[in-house]
Amino acid sequence: MDIANSEGKTRRDFLNSIIGIGLFGWLLTIIYPLLKYIVPPKMREPEVKTIAVGKVDDFKPLSGTIFKFGNKPGILIRRADGEFKAFSAVCTHLDCTVQFDEKIKLIWCACHNGKYDLNGNNVSGPPPKPLTEYQVVLKNKEIFVQKET
Amino acid sequence: MSITKHINDWIDERFKLSRLKEFLAKKSVPINKHSVWYYFGGVSLFLFIIQVLTGIMLLLYYKTGEDASYESVQFIMSKVSFGWLIRSIHSWSANIMILAIFIHMFSVYFTKSYRKPRELTWLTGFVLLILSITFGFSGYLLPWNELAFFATKVGTDIVGSVPGIGKYLLIIIRGGEEVTGSTLSRFFGLHAAILPGIYVVILGIHLFFVQLQGMSEPSEIVKLSLEKRKSMPFFPNFMLRDILLWLVILNILAILAVFFPMELGQKANAFASAPRGIKPEWYFLFMFQTLKYIPAKVLILEGEFFGVLMFGLAGLLWMLVPFWDVKTKKGYRYRLVNTVGLTVLLFIIIMTIISHFFS
């Protein structure tokens, strides 16, 4: 027979709650490593700050070229006035890679028809913000692109 | 006593097969003007079986990895005897299976077959639909071509737009911050191990419910007296019709695979622009097209997240229709359910057509 205390709790209630808490803790020790396991470890990749893209004469005015910047694509634009601009080529909408469209003379993303002007500003379609801009440095007719530090 | 009879008796003595035979002999399928829709569940099942069989065959040659996946599919398509056939059937069958599931779902919806006592059959069916679409999405990446690469980037990036947990989910799904060989490994595991396991269990439950409760009949027929309700024995009458239709579908698959073999396209390249005219599989087109119309910001929410939220809510309401269809008990018509169903169907069809032909 269960003997209840003044609040109506029996010894069995007490033991049940102890077992319950123990069981919960035991479940946590199983779930925690499983959850941690499916999160991939952070890989440290050497961060690229500056990269040589090519010679000035390799790029005609009003053109765009995709280049590798670390593990992400970048786009080098040569405007009609001959000036160079460099941006991250990752569309700010859903992560696609943009391109220079010669017909409309804008930076264009094929995935959802997002458009940016040659200063990287989002001008039409779904992109929510401008492309990230990189600095372009000219040294002896060689083009270098660098991230601002 | 013949050997077969002997074996039969031996098994029967131990497992009481006579009970199963009795069940099969009694199992019947109602005949009414909606009977044609009863076939589409079976068609979906048949196509799933084709998927399992051709999938296992593809496993013999398929390899995972940024440097191996595209090449191994190319090898299957060009070097392995009938490899082109197996792969084309696998991907055609996947597409037609989704179509068959959609037809099955809408027919159950409009004939109100989800009503009491079949609420849980509807729910498990909805889970199977989601699993089938996940099958499609994960399988699409496996050849590691350009289209698949960007489709996966976009699809997973949408998950990343969920506030708070989105970033973590994105990393778990992609196996890192970018779509890489790690993503390929994860999608392969999902496609060839995790999903088939879960799918078979849910499908088993779904079919078990159907066997327990029998086929649903339209409410106007249920009201008739038993003599006026027509039916056909499942075994062998309906089953033979089922099998005949399955054979027709297998032939259609073979014709599609021979005359319209699946292309492989360009290998994925993380440093190339998204190709012109890029589109997802047809069953994602309506969502893809809708995303194009949603502005970058809706109120305080980001456009993509707003889209995901709306589709998520719509899906939830759709899944729960047996519980908000308040006229279930009385077996009445319910105009709201029909209107919602027609709107959804028209929305999907119109958006798909716009996306396919006009953009």
Side-chain angles (χ1 to χ4, degrees):
Chain A
M1 205 180 87
D2 288 346
I3 300 165
N5 69 2
S6 55
E7 287 165 21
K9 300 254 184 197
T10 63
R11 196 176 290 185
R12 182 172 297 271
D13 287 335
F14 175 72
L15 285 174
N16 276 347
S17 57
I18 292 284
I19 291 172
I21 292 166
L23 209 60
F24 182 70
W26 178 77
L27 271 178
L28 275 187
T29 59
I30 290 184
I31 292 168
Y32 181 75
L34 292 180
L35 281 183
K36 284 303 248 190
Y37 181 83
I38 62 171
V39 180
K42 274 213 172 104
M43 304 296 268
R44 272 192 156 264
E45 283 183 27
E47 205 190 342
V48 180
K49 291 258 165 74
T50 308
I51 184 179
V53 188
K55 296 246 188 266
V56 171
D57 299 337
D58 296 344
F59 306 94
K60 57 181 196 306
L62 265 184
S63 71
T65 312
I66 299 284
F67 62 91
K68 244 181 169 178
F69 201 15
N71 59 357
K72 297 212 174 196
I75 186 164
L76 181 75
I77 297 288
R78 187 163 194 190
R79 299 198 311 203
D81 58 10
E83 200 193 324
F84 285 96
K85 285 268 184 183
F87 308 98
S88 158
V90 178
C91 181
T92 54
H93 178 222
L94 288 175
D95 209 20
C96 277
T97 308
V98 297
Q99 57 188 287
F100 177 75
D101 188 311
E102 288 185 358
K103 266 191 209 151
I104 53 174
K105 300 188 172 47
L106 290 173
I107 300 172
W108 176 68
C109 182
C111 287
H112 302 90
N113 203 21
K115 289 169 191 154
Y116 304 85
D117 65 19
L118 299 190
N119 291 317
N121 295 314
N122 46 322
V123 289
S124 150
K129 51 184 185 228
L131 295 170
T132 310
E133 187 167 357
Y134 300 139
Q135 281 181 328
V136 178
V137 180
L138 295 177
K139 268 185 208 162
N140 306 327
K141 295 222 152 193
E142 184 97 28
I143 304 163
F144 293 89
V145 172
Q146 62 183 43
K147 272 183 197 168
E148 283 178 55
T149 44
Chain B
M1 197 161 39
S2 69
I3 290 188
T4 46
K5 170 100 174 81
H6 198 75
I7 295 174
N8 214 359
D9 288 349
W10 192 90
I11 296 176
D12 195 34
E13 201 182 338
R14 285 155 184 83
F15 299 105
K16 305 272 181 291
L17 277 190
S18 45
R19 272 188 273 173
L20 184 67
K21 279 184 197 159
E22 206 179 312
F23 171 77
L24 284 178
K26 272 192 197 157
K27 184 174 161 58
S28 68
V29 177
I31 303 175
N32 52 61
K33 62 177 178 183
H34 297 303
S35 282
V36 60
W37 304 115
Y38 292 145
Y39 289 98
F40 283 90
V43 168
S44 314
L45 172 68
F46 173 66
L47 291 166
F48 177 68
I49 295 169
I50 300 264
Q51 286 312 91
V52 173
L53 296 179
T54 50
I56 290 171
M57 293 178 86
L58 289 173
L59 277 181
L60 300 184
Y61 297 103
Y62 178 75
K63 294 184 190 130
T64 336
E66 270 172 281
D67 304 320
S69 288
Y70 182 85
E71 288 74 7
S72 71
V73 177
Q74 206 168 34
F75 179 73
I76 291 172
M77 297 290 282
S78 58
K79 294 279 184 339
V80 179
S81 306
F82 293 106
W84 58 272
L85 181 69
I86 301 295
R87 176 180 174 240
S88 287
I89 295 229
H90 191 73
S91 66
W92 269 115
S93 171
N95 281 290
I96 297 178
M97 178 176 150
I98 300 277
L99 182 67
I101 291 175
F102 266 108
I103 296 174
H104 178 52
M105 178 184 77
F106 276 107
S107 70
V108 166
Y109 183 93
F110 285 117
T111 53
K112 317 277 193 307
S113 303
Y114 55 78
R115 283 179 171 176
K116 192 184 167 190
R118 295 184 178 77
E119 299 96 326
L120 293 181
T121 319
W122 170 266
L123 270 176
T124 48
F126 186 85
V127 174
L128 288 173
L129 169 74
I130 301 297
L131 289 175
S132 303
I133 289 174
T134 317
F135 254 126
F137 184 68
S138 56
Y140 195 61
L141 178 70
L142 300 186
W144 197 243
N145 58 25
E146 221 177 17
L147 290 179
F149 177 75
F150 284 107
T152 307
K153 264 177 110 83
V154 170
T156 48
D157 206 64
I158 289 173
V159 177
S161 71
V162 178
I165 54 165
K167 247 194 216 162
Y168 300 99
L169 281 180
L170 181 82
I171 287 178
I172 289 175
I173 294 172
R174 286 184 176 177
E177 285 178 3
E178 303 290 326
V179 173
T180 59
S182 311
T183 321
L184 203 45
S185 299
R186 288 195 173 209
F187 274 41
F188 178 62
L190 187 69
H191 189 79
I194 302 171
L195 284 175
I198 301 174
Y199 200 94
V200 166
V201 172
I202 310 275
L203 181 61
I205 297 174
H206 188 72
L207 293 175
F208 181 65
F209 286 162
V210 176
Q211 299 316 311
L212 271 188
Q213 299 176 326
M215 308 294 254
S216 154
E217 287 180 273
S219 53
E220 64 266 23
I221 291 176
V222 175
K223 285 177 200 143
L224 299 175
S225 61
L226 272 180
E227 299 89 66
K228 284 190 183 159
R229 288 160 69 176
K230 285 187 246 161
S231 72
M232 161 197 303
F234 180 82
F235 192 79
N237 303 41
F238 192 80
M239 201 185 77
L240 288 175
R241 285 170 170 77
D242 251 348
I243 290 176
L244 183 65
L245 181 60
W246 294 7
L247 279 178
V248 170
I249 285 175
L250 188 60
N251 282 311
I252 294 176
L253 277 179
I255 291 169
L256 288 171
V258 169
F259 291 104
F260 308 97
M262 283 293 161
E263 287 176 13
L264 182 55
Q266 296 284 318
K267 186 177 171 174
N269 175 3
F271 299 101
S273 302
R276 261 169 205 283
I278 184 170
K279 269 174 201 168
E281 292 274 75
W282 63 270
Y283 44 89
F284 290 120
L285 283 182
F286 73 97
M287 291 192 261
F288 170 77
Q289 191 63 27
T290 314
L291 275 189
K292 284 192 186 179
Y293 295 137
I294 297 176
K297 282 248 170 207
V298 180
L299 301 174
I300 49 160
L301 299 172
E302 281 201 29
E304 301 100 76
F305 178 64
F306 178 77
V308 174
L309 199 68
M310 287 300 119
F311 279 116
L313 281 177
L316 194 68
L317 278 177
W318 191 256
M319 178 177 88
L320 295 178
V321 63
F323 305 101
W324 58 259
D325 178 352
V326 287
K327 302 207 174 166
T328 292
K329 277 184 202 153
K330 295 167 193 158
Y332 289 153
R333 282 163 183 250
Y334 189 18
R335 247 175 240 284
L336 179 66
V337 171
N338 289 339
T339 316
V340 168
L342 275 177
T343 314
V344 169
L345 189 60
L346 282 178
F347 178 79
I348 291 178
I349 292 175
I350 291 173
M351 283 300 193
T352 307
I353 290 175
I354 293 178
S355 182
H356 191 80
F357 295 103
F358 301 107
S359 63

